[in-house]
Amino acid sequence: QVQLQESGPGLVKPSQTLSLVCTVSGGSITTNYYYWNWIRQPPGKGLEWMGAITSSGSTYYRPSLKSRTSISRDTSKNHFTLQLNSVTPEGTAVYYCAGSSARSAAGTRASYNYWGQGTQVTVST
């Protein structure tokens, strides 16, 4: 059973950098033809796909976030990370990591095979 677990700070100040880690258990992040995604859901809004890293290390980003988003991985620890620079209060959301067998950039839960439980991040002074 593949399980994902997000970890990181629950509070980030505006203009600072948000860093989150998704630890994967029960499966390898190097599994062929697989995508490891970051998705967020602001209060009262739908899911927003942020980006993904593939099993081979290629990255994809939501165009509106590309300039300040970086996704990386550490295969020795079987985890992948999200770095979001210059956060604003609009960055307040529940952040999820998720695995998928296709790159769809979809904002629907059914598009992903595995989900973390989500972690609340608040951007505030």
Side-chain angles (χ1 to χ4, degrees):
Q1 177 67 43
V2 174
Q3 294 183 322
L4 284 69
Q5 176 69 57
E6 303 92 343
S7 61
L11 180 65
V12 182
K13 295 181 178 180
S15 82
Q16 295 190 338
T17 297
L18 169 65
S19 296
L20 297 174
V21 176
C22 181
T23 300
V24 178
S25 61
S28 174
I29 61 171
T30 61
T31 299
N32 287 168
Y33 307 109
Y34 216 76
Y35 301 79
W36 304 98
N37 307 267
W38 285 102
I39 302 157
R40 67 181 180 182
Q41 184 171 34
K45 299 182 180 179
L47 298 171
E48 179 185 61
W49 178 82
M50 301 180 69
I53 188 164
T54 72
S55 56
S56 61
S58 299
T59 54
Y60 303 88
Y61 300 104
R62 186 180 189 88
S64 62
L65 298 174
K66 183 177 177 62
S67 65
R68 57 192 183 96
T69 305
S70 179
I71 297 173
S72 59
R73 64 177 185 162
D74 185 336
T75 57
S76 68
K77 298 179 180 179
N78 208 45
H79 71 216
F80 62 103
T81 66
L82 170 71
Q83 181 175 290
L84 179 63
N85 300 322
S86 303
V87 298
T88 68
E90 287 68 43
T92 294
V94 177
Y95 286 74
Y96 299 93
C97 54
S100 62
S101 57
R103 184 177 67 85
S104 65
T108 57
R109 286 188 173 272
S111 298
Y112 305 89
N113 305 110
Y114 307 104
W115 287 84
Q117 84 288 349
T119 185
Q120 173 69 50
V121 175
T122 299
V123 181
S124 176
T125 57

